[in-house]
Tab-separated table of all heavy atoms in Angstrom:
chain	number	residue	atom	x	y	z
A	678	VAL	N	36.736	81.796	-115.254
A	678	VAL	CA	37.144	82.072	-113.904
A	678	VAL	C	37.922	83.310	-113.840
A	678	VAL	O	38.346	83.806	-114.866
A	678	VAL	CB	38.059	80.928	-113.314
A	678	VAL	CG1	37.194	79.614	-113.207
A	678	VAL	CG2	39.219	80.695	-114.137
A	679	LYS	N	38.153	83.886	-112.649
A	679	LYS	CA	38.986	85.046	-112.627
A	679	LYS	C	40.422	84.820	-113.018
A	679	LYS	O	40.920	83.726	-112.804
A	679	LYS	CB	38.964	85.596	-111.123
A	679	LYS	CG	37.660	86.014	-110.649
A	679	LYS	CD	37.623	86.541	-109.243
A	679	LYS	CE	36.293	87.059	-108.773
A	679	LYS	NZ	36.356	87.503	-107.390
A	680	ARG	N	41.099	85.780	-113.573
A	680	ARG	CA	42.325	85.537	-114.232
A	680	ARG	C	43.360	85.094	-113.202
A	680	ARG	O	44.303	84.272	-113.676
A	680	ARG	CB	42.889	86.884	-114.817
A	680	ARG	CG	42.124	87.184	-116.165
A	680	ARG	CD	42.593	88.523	-116.672
A	680	ARG	NE	41.981	88.762	-117.984
A	680	ARG	CZ	42.531	88.404	-119.179
A	680	ARG	NH1	43.695	87.855	-119.163
A	680	ARG	NH2	41.923	88.669	-120.269
A	681	LYS	N	43.338	85.425	-112.002
A	681	LYS	CA	44.301	84.978	-111.061
A	681	LYS	C	44.275	83.404	-110.812
A	681	LYS	O	45.294	82.819	-110.489
A	681	LYS	CB	44.129	85.623	-109.675
A	681	LYS	CG	42.847	85.320	-108.953
A	681	LYS	CD	42.800	86.093	-107.567
A	681	LYS	CE	41.487	85.710	-106.878
A	681	LYS	NZ	41.396	86.428	-105.572
A	682	MET	N	43.167	82.834	-111.174
A	682	MET	CA	43.056	81.416	-111.022
A	682	MET	C	43.740	80.621	-112.103
A	682	MET	O	44.130	79.443	-112.011
A	682	MET	CB	41.556	80.958	-111.043
A	682	MET	CG	40.828	81.447	-109.728
A	682	MET	SD	39.138	80.904	-109.710
A	682	MET	CE	39.424	79.111	-109.440
A	683	TYR	N	44.079	81.272	-113.250
A	683	TYR	CA	44.704	80.605	-114.318
A	683	TYR	C	46.096	80.226	-114.000
A	683	TYR	O	46.618	79.243	-114.605
A	683	TYR	CB	44.689	81.494	-115.581
A	683	TYR	CG	43.351	81.674	-116.298
A	683	TYR	CD1	42.678	82.882	-116.305
A	683	TYR	CD2	42.806	80.549	-116.898
A	683	TYR	CE1	41.462	82.987	-116.909
A	683	TYR	CE2	41.505	80.627	-117.455
A	683	TYR	CZ	40.912	81.872	-117.491
A	683	TYR	OH	39.746	81.916	-118.118
A	684	LYS	N	46.740	80.909	-113.124
A	684	LYS	CA	48.122	80.559	-112.654
A	684	LYS	C	48.152	79.148	-112.117
A	684	LYS	O	49.255	78.516	-112.160
A	684	LYS	CB	48.718	81.622	-111.697
A	684	LYS	CG	49.335	82.797	-112.407
A	684	LYS	CD	50.092	83.576	-111.443
A	684	LYS	CE	50.809	84.770	-112.118
A	684	LYS	NZ	51.602	85.563	-111.240
A	685	GLN	N	47.107	78.714	-111.598
A	685	GLN	CA	47.084	77.336	-111.069
A	685	GLN	C	47.285	76.287	-112.200
A	685	GLN	O	47.688	75.207	-111.877
A	685	GLN	CB	45.778	77.028	-110.365
A	685	GLN	CG	45.450	77.968	-109.177
A	685	GLN	CD	44.108	77.650	-108.469
A	685	GLN	OE1	43.908	76.486	-108.058
A	685	GLN	NE2	43.261	78.619	-108.431
A	686	LEU	N	47.065	76.668	-113.373
A	686	LEU	CA	47.214	75.735	-114.528
A	686	LEU	C	48.650	75.791	-114.989
A	686	LEU	O	48.967	74.921	-115.849
A	686	LEU	CB	46.256	76.107	-115.600
A	686	LEU	CG	44.799	76.256	-115.261
A	686	LEU	CD1	43.958	76.787	-116.461
A	686	LEU	CD2	44.289	74.828	-114.835
A	687	SER	N	49.471	76.713	-114.556
A	687	SER	CA	50.810	76.766	-115.017
A	687	SER	C	51.665	75.500	-114.661
A	687	SER	O	51.530	74.946	-113.589
A	687	SER	CB	51.505	77.985	-114.481
A	687	SER	OG	52.886	78.056	-114.813
A	688	THR	N	52.523	75.090	-115.577
A	688	THR	CA	53.402	74.006	-115.359
A	688	THR	C	54.718	74.418	-114.781
A	688	THR	O	55.711	73.647	-114.631
A	688	THR	CB	53.630	73.158	-116.660
A	688	THR	OG1	54.221	74.030	-117.617
A	688	THR	CG2	52.386	72.625	-117.117
A	689	PHE	N	54.905	75.754	-114.504
A	689	PHE	CA	56.195	76.318	-114.010
A	689	PHE	C	55.937	76.976	-112.569
A	689	PHE	O	54.925	77.447	-112.295
A	689	PHE	CB	56.645	77.417	-115.020
A	689	PHE	CG	56.725	76.944	-116.406
A	689	PHE	CD1	55.673	77.310	-117.326
A	689	PHE	CD2	57.759	76.111	-116.833
A	689	PHE	CE1	55.793	76.867	-118.644
A	689	PHE	CE2	57.782	75.738	-118.165
A	689	PHE	CZ	56.766	76.069	-119.060
A	690	GLN	N	57.037	76.804	-111.820
A	690	GLN	CA	56.926	77.274	-110.438
A	690	GLN	C	57.250	78.791	-110.365
A	690	GLN	O	56.726	79.464	-109.461
A	690	GLN	CB	57.940	76.523	-109.537
A	690	GLN	CG	57.590	75.066	-109.392
A	690	GLN	CD	56.209	74.745	-108.870
A	690	GLN	OE1	55.809	75.390	-107.859
A	690	GLN	NE2	55.524	73.807	-109.544
A	691	THR	N	58.140	79.245	-111.235
A	691	THR	CA	58.480	80.664	-111.267
A	691	THR	C	58.481	81.201	-112.718
A	691	THR	O	58.516	80.470	-113.674
A	691	THR	CB	59.872	80.836	-110.644
A	691	THR	OG1	60.900	80.197	-111.524
A	691	THR	CG2	60.014	80.171	-109.252
A	692	ASN	N	58.484	82.522	-112.743
A	692	ASN	CA	58.604	83.183	-114.091
A	692	ASN	C	59.910	82.902	-114.801
A	692	ASN	O	60.019	82.661	-115.936
A	692	ASN	CB	58.388	84.707	-113.915
A	692	ASN	CG	56.983	85.171	-113.594
A	692	ASN	OD1	56.076	84.372	-114.021
A	692	ASN	ND2	56.801	86.213	-112.887
A	693	ASP	N	61.029	82.803	-113.947
A	693	ASP	CA	62.322	82.552	-114.401
A	693	ASP	C	62.325	81.200	-115.083
A	693	ASP	O	62.988	80.935	-116.145
A	693	ASP	CB	63.419	82.673	-113.473
A	693	ASP	CG	63.710	84.139	-113.092
A	693	ASP	OD1	63.353	85.050	-113.896
A	693	ASP	OD2	64.236	84.425	-111.957
A	694	GLN	N	61.714	80.204	-114.394
A	694	GLN	CA	61.695	78.816	-115.020
A	694	GLN	C	60.963	78.857	-116.312
A	694	GLN	O	61.458	78.270	-117.296
A	694	GLN	CB	61.023	77.918	-113.992
A	694	GLN	CG	61.003	76.470	-114.487
A	694	GLN	CD	60.051	75.506	-113.688
A	694	GLN	OE1	59.397	76.026	-112.798
A	694	GLN	NE2	60.147	74.236	-113.963
A	695	PHE	N	59.850	79.528	-116.357
A	695	PHE	CA	59.039	79.627	-117.587
A	695	PHE	C	59.918	80.222	-118.743
A	695	PHE	O	60.017	79.604	-119.819
A	695	PHE	CB	57.754	80.485	-117.399
A	695	PHE	CG	57.172	81.036	-118.602
A	695	PHE	CD1	56.747	80.068	-119.567
A	695	PHE	CD2	57.017	82.304	-118.956
A	695	PHE	CE1	56.135	80.538	-120.799
A	695	PHE	CE2	56.413	82.798	-120.095
A	695	PHE	CZ	55.964	81.854	-121.011
A	696	LYS	N	60.586	81.302	-118.435
A	696	LYS	CA	61.415	81.978	-119.470
A	696	LYS	C	62.536	81.067	-119.964
A	696	LYS	O	62.849	80.990	-121.095
A	696	LYS	CB	61.951	83.340	-118.935
A	696	LYS	CG	60.828	84.266	-118.718
A	696	LYS	CD	61.378	85.580	-118.058
A	696	LYS	CE	60.237	86.628	-117.771
A	696	LYS	NZ	60.781	87.815	-117.124
A	697	ASN	N	63.180	80.354	-119.052
A	697	ASN	CA	64.259	79.530	-119.381
A	697	ASN	C	63.797	78.370	-120.261
A	697	ASN	O	64.491	78.001	-121.276
A	697	ASN	CB	64.922	78.949	-118.165
A	697	ASN	CG	65.811	79.988	-117.450
A	697	ASN	OD1	66.248	80.988	-118.049
A	697	ASN	ND2	65.976	79.785	-116.112
A	698	GLU	N	62.628	77.769	-119.978
A	698	GLU	CA	62.087	76.657	-120.791
A	698	GLU	C	61.732	77.077	-122.175
A	698	GLU	O	61.976	76.400	-123.115
A	698	GLU	CB	60.945	76.062	-120.037
A	698	GLU	CG	61.283	75.324	-118.677
A	698	GLU	CD	62.098	74.100	-118.907
A	698	GLU	OE1	61.935	73.405	-119.927
A	698	GLU	OE2	62.856	73.772	-117.959
A	699	VAL	N	61.098	78.320	-122.176
A	699	VAL	CA	60.732	78.814	-123.520
A	699	VAL	C	61.984	79.061	-124.380
A	699	VAL	O	62.031	78.828	-125.587
A	699	VAL	CB	59.890	80.139	-123.320
A	699	VAL	CG1	59.803	80.862	-124.650
A	699	VAL	CG2	58.513	79.859	-122.813
A	700	ARG	N	63.060	79.602	-123.774
A	700	ARG	CA	64.244	79.768	-124.508
A	700	ARG	C	64.803	78.551	-125.142
A	700	ARG	O	65.277	78.544	-126.208
A	700	ARG	CB	65.366	80.445	-123.565
A	700	ARG	CG	65.081	81.864	-123.204
A	700	ARG	CD	66.345	82.471	-122.485
A	700	ARG	NE	66.050	83.768	-121.920
A	700	ARG	CZ	65.807	84.019	-120.680
A	700	ARG	NH1	65.812	83.021	-119.789
A	700	ARG	NH2	65.483	85.222	-120.243
A	701	GLN	N	64.710	77.421	-124.407
A	701	GLN	CA	65.047	76.140	-124.881
A	701	GLN	C	64.191	75.731	-126.133
A	701	GLN	O	64.687	75.228	-127.118
A	701	GLN	CB	65.057	75.058	-123.784
A	701	GLN	CG	66.123	75.298	-122.764
A	701	GLN	CD	66.126	74.131	-121.785
A	701	GLN	OE1	66.413	73.039	-122.132
A	701	GLN	NE2	65.797	74.407	-120.541
A	702	HIS	N	62.878	75.908	-125.958
A	702	HIS	CA	61.998	75.641	-127.105
A	702	HIS	C	62.392	76.395	-128.290
A	702	HIS	O	62.521	75.869	-129.418
A	702	HIS	CB	60.570	75.939	-126.728
A	702	HIS	CG	59.870	74.994	-125.823
A	702	HIS	ND1	59.824	73.643	-126.176
A	702	HIS	CD2	59.257	75.121	-124.679
A	702	HIS	CE1	59.074	72.989	-125.211
A	702	HIS	NE2	58.771	73.853	-124.281
A	703	LEU	N	62.609	77.716	-128.046
A	703	LEU	CA	62.979	78.540	-129.270
A	703	LEU	C	64.344	78.183	-129.893
A	703	LEU	O	64.508	78.248	-131.080
A	703	LEU	CB	63.021	80.038	-128.871
A	703	LEU	CG	61.677	80.601	-128.378
A	703	LEU	CD1	61.880	82.050	-127.941
A	703	LEU	CD2	60.627	80.599	-129.555
C-alpha cells in the first residue's frame, strides 16, 4: 500500500508519544 497508509498501523497518537515510549524501552 502507499506509505501514508502505514500510519494507520501505528500504536501511537503522536510523534511525541512514540518518542517517549521508545525512550522508556531503551
Side-chain angles (χ1 to χ4, degrees):
V678 296
K679 293 181 179 179
R680 285 179 174 265
K681 65 181 180 180
M682 295 184 65
Y683 285 115
K684 274 192 177 181
Q685 297 180 58
L686 304 174
S687 175
T688 58
F689 308 100
Q690 298 300 315
T691 65
N692 288 330
D693 285 340
Q694 183 192 6
F695 163 59
K696 292 175 183 178
N697 288 334
E698 295 290 328
V699 166
R700 289 190 188 102
Q701 292 186 64
H702 280 307
L703 295 178

